[in-house]
Amino acid sequence: MTLQTQTATTSDEPSRARLDRQMLVILDFGSQYSELIARRIRETEVYSEVLSYRTTAEQLRQLNPQGIILSGGPNSVYDERAPHCDPEIWNLGVPVLGVCYGMQLMVQQLGGQVERAERAEYGKASLNIDDPTDLLTNVEDGSTMWMSHGDSVTQMPPGFEVLAHTNNTPSAAIADHTRKYYGVQFHPEVVHSKGGQALIRNFVYHICDCQPTWTTEAFIEEAVREVRARVGDRRVLLALSGGVDSSTLAFLLNKAIGDKLTCMFIDQGFMRKGEPERLVKLFEEQFHINVSYVNARERFLEQVKGVTDPEVKRKRIGHEFIQVFEEESRRLGPFDYLAQGTLYPDVIESADTNVDPKTGERVAVKIKSHHNVGGLPKDLRFKLVEPLRKLFKDEVRKLGRSLGLPEEIVRRHPFPGPGLAIRILGEVTAEKLDILRDADYIVRQEIRHRGMYHDFWQAFAVLLPVRSVGVMGDQRTYAYPIVLRFVSSEDGMTADWSRTPYDLLEAISNRIVNEVKGVNRVVYDVTSKPPGTIEWE
């Protein structure tokens, strides 16, 4: 199953994985790349989970992983408060790969020595391979690898040997072949490391002896079976947003439970031109999935009237969504279950999990699938159905395709929950919404017409709360500027402004100032993330 990077806050408790599925476990020591390691393993079609470094050897034994990876981290292993794993892990008899900090921890716990390096090593380094077998099979000598360390191994543990070195690091890759313990001082999981995925595949397939069983087809079969067993003949409510997560979830649940599923689409008036109508028509007429359409545009517009602070704006939108959702769920209900499009990064990073003390069931306190801004009232309690909680975003896209979700939804650009309300800086009004909707529509038309829609992570328009002087014909104008924001990214955590062809920008600009009443100027945002954000609010 072909499968975004931020420091993960992992749970101290491993999830209940199916014991008949091969898996690898990543113990997270605070690395910004732990989640990425898991994704790289899943690209080999082998299941992986990220767990806290506090996970005990006994807990790991119960999960029965085929291998363990110790992640990187910001600490030095010799620091007094440095995180350490359970030393009994070394008695589990499974292969272990230490990455950066994980390698240094392995060395220290197995009797070696780690000290501050004379020369730190950050960024690209050429890997000189001394032993091209086993872990480094098919990794080209001289390959560029991504380094990020200020410490180095000064004494190897008994039984270890050097597999590779760089000009600054004598022990860039090490191994105890007998016990199947391996360590690399670089980060094979990042795109800058050439041959990094080949190294990961060697560990997964040849060292851990895993088989590629984590496939879309296998996931669908398992998820359908689990949903049917959990839900039975009871009803499920899903807040549908039209994004890839909630849409894929709707298709999966429809396959599992059919008309026991009800989708609620709340139109808050902040979506793009034609999207609400298109969404409802697709789901009801083409996909035959029950959707309850709720027109709440006037209610939401009233909530943001006069509001200029972006955080206040978000909170009011979130609060109103809760109110509408509560009213409509009572009208359409009763429902026993609430379906959420929770993804695996949410599981790793989120602490927003409540458990019913009587039943042990997880209960909903957030609507994540719609807008990520606010939770449900505590007295509105549902049992949760979260079939996507094992998946990364790119796995969800692949799942959507397998379930028959149209490409326009599968590859839809990310769209913020509060919608156009946070692409209008300052107060949101009906007039500004009309202006921005029309400008944004032109942007989407032009990039689709040129076959460039999928060249961008996001491409959209922003309306600024200022006016500037212009000239149209012989008349002076005083109108709003539109900002074009086109970015390239792999995961949305970092992004670079797109080097968009001038003729495309010219065409968009000409159309907007000629076709959109109230606009007389178009500008292009050339700020990367960081220091900027992708959205303006």
Side-chain angles (χ1 to χ4, degrees), residues 76-296:
S76 294
V77 293
Y78 47 76
D79 288 345
E80 184 178 346
R81 297 184 178 180
H84 289 180
C85 61
D86 183 348
E88 285 300 311
I89 285 173
W90 306 111
N91 296 322
L92 290 175
V94 300
V96 180
L97 172 64
V99 176
C100 201
Y101 178 89
M103 167 180 157
Q104 295 168 5
L105 181 62
M106 175 189 292
V107 167
Q108 184 193 61
Q109 290 193 327
L110 294 178
Q113 187 73 28
V114 177
E115 297 177 0
R116 173 67 61 184
E118 290 185 9
R119 295 179 62 184
E121 196 169 26
Y122 298 100
K124 297 177 180 179
S126 179
L127 187 70
N128 303 307
I129 297 177
D130 303 299
D131 181 354
T133 63
D134 222 355
L135 186 69
L136 299 181
T137 301
N138 297 323
V139 178
E140 186 177 346
D141 187 28
S143 294
T144 296
M145 295 295 177
W146 190 259
M147 292 284 189
S148 181
H149 67 103
D151 298 331
S152 285
V153 174
T154 56
Q155 181 181 328
M156 300 273 278
F160 277 78
E161 61 185 76
V162 173
L163 301 182
H165 66 280
T166 69
N167 290 339
N168 290 338
T169 305
S171 305
I174 61 175
D176 180 334
H177 294 291
T178 302
R179 293 183 288 180
K180 294 188 176 182
Y181 295 157
Y182 299 84
V184 292
Q185 189 59 73
F186 49 88
H187 288 277
E189 69 274 18
V190 302
V191 294
H192 308 290
S193 292
K194 306 304 178 185
Q197 188 63 7
L199 184 153
I200 290 172
R201 291 176 66 89
N202 289 335
F203 183 72
V204 171
Y205 289 143
H206 306 309
I207 295 170
C208 296
D209 199 27
C210 290
Q211 300 299 315
T213 58
W214 178 244
T215 63
T216 304
E217 294 73 20
F219 176 82
I220 292 173
E221 181 182 341
E222 178 183 326
V224 167
R225 182 173 63 248
E226 290 181 351
V227 168
R228 286 174 178 168
R230 179 172 173 79
V231 172
D233 60 356
R234 288 163 290 184
R235 300 180 67 201
V236 178
L237 177 63
L238 167 64
L240 184 68
S241 70
V244 63
D245 299 341
S246 66
S247 298
T248 298
L249 181 55
F251 269 53
L252 181 63
L253 291 174
N254 185 61
K255 181 180 180 67
I257 59 175
D259 59 9
K260 299 183 188 70
L261 170 68
T262 296
C263 296
M264 182 195 301
F265 173 68
I266 299 175
D267 183 359
Q268 85 288 58
F270 304 140
M271 292 191 73
R272 292 174 286 207
K273 189 171 184 175
E275 279 196 335
E277 299 81 3
R278 172 67 174 161
L279 177 69
V280 173
K281 185 175 181 179
L282 271 175
F283 274 78
E284 289 191 338
E285 297 182 10
Q286 186 172 333
F287 309 140
H288 308 293
I289 296 176
N290 180 28
V291 178
S292 176
Y293 172 78
V294 181
N295 187 341

Side-chain angles (χ1 to χ4, degrees), residues 448-512:
R448 286 187 186 278
H449 174 70
R450 295 167 186 250
M452 298 181 66
Y453 182 84
H454 301 303
D455 292 350
F456 308 105
W457 173 263
Q458 282 178 262
F460 58 90
V462 176
L463 180 65
L464 299 185
V466 296
R467 301 194 188 201
S468 66
V469 174
V471 177
M472 291 186 178
D474 294 325
Q475 301 294 319
R476 175 185 180 274
T477 62
Y478 193 57
Y480 294 109
I482 286 289
V483 179
L484 302 181
R485 179 67 161 149
F486 293 8
V487 297
S488 302
S489 178
E490 286 194 359
D491 51 23
M493 301 307 299
T494 61
D496 194 14
W497 62 277
S498 297
R499 275 59 173 177
T500 307
Y502 289 162
D503 61 334
L504 173 59
L505 293 176
E506 180 182 32
I508 293 173
S509 176
N510 285 341
R511 284 196 59 190
I512 288 176

Side-chain angles (χ1 to χ4, degrees), residues 239-398:
L240 184 68
S241 70
V244 63
D245 299 341
S246 66
S247 298
T248 298
L249 181 55
F251 269 53
L252 181 63
L253 291 174
N254 185 61
K255 181 180 180 67
I257 59 175
D259 59 9
K260 299 183 188 70
L261 170 68
T262 296
C263 296
M264 182 195 301
F265 173 68
I266 299 175
D267 183 359
Q268 85 288 58
F270 304 140
M271 292 191 73
R272 292 174 286 207
K273 189 171 184 175
E275 279 196 335
E277 299 81 3
R278 172 67 174 161
L279 177 69
V280 173
K281 185 175 181 179
L282 271 175
F283 274 78
E284 289 191 338
E285 297 182 10
Q286 186 172 333
F287 309 140
H288 308 293
I289 296 176
N290 180 28
V291 178
S292 176
Y293 172 78
V294 181
N295 187 341
R297 296 182 180 185
E298 292 186 6
R299 290 181 58 167
F300 279 89
L301 194 57
E302 184 63 28
Q303 285 298 317
V304 296
K305 184 178 180 179
V307 176
T308 58
D309 183 275
E311 287 306 307
V312 174
K313 192 188 298 183
R314 283 179 177 269
K315 287 179 180 178
R316 289 200 179 185
I317 293 171
H319 177 76
E320 189 63 19
F321 180 87
I322 293 166
Q323 297 302 311
V324 175
F325 183 87
E326 181 177 14
E327 294 169 15
E328 294 299 318
S329 64
R330 294 188 190 282
R331 179 180 66 84
L332 296 169
F335 296 97
D336 296 286
Y337 288 93
L338 174 67
Q340 289 197 137
T342 306
L343 303 189
Y344 192 48
D346 300 323
V347 175
I348 296 174
E349 297 169 11
S350 175
D352 296 315
T353 300
N354 287 343
V355 178
D356 188 311
K358 295 181 179 180
T359 65
E361 299 272 14
R362 292 188 67 237
V363 295
V365 293
K366 273 195 175 183
I367 291 290
K368 291 192 173 189
S369 59
H370 185 80
H371 55 70
N372 296 314
V373 284
L376 289 173
K378 291 184 178 180
D379 61 345
L380 186 65
R381 299 173 71 85
F382 299 88
K383 297 172 185 177
L384 285 182
V385 178
E386 299 174 300
L388 307 184
R389 69 193 314 270
K390 299 174 184 176
L391 304 185
F392 287 103
K393 189 78 170 187
D394 43 349
E395 292 178 309
V396 174
R397 294 186 193 279
K398 188 170 184 180

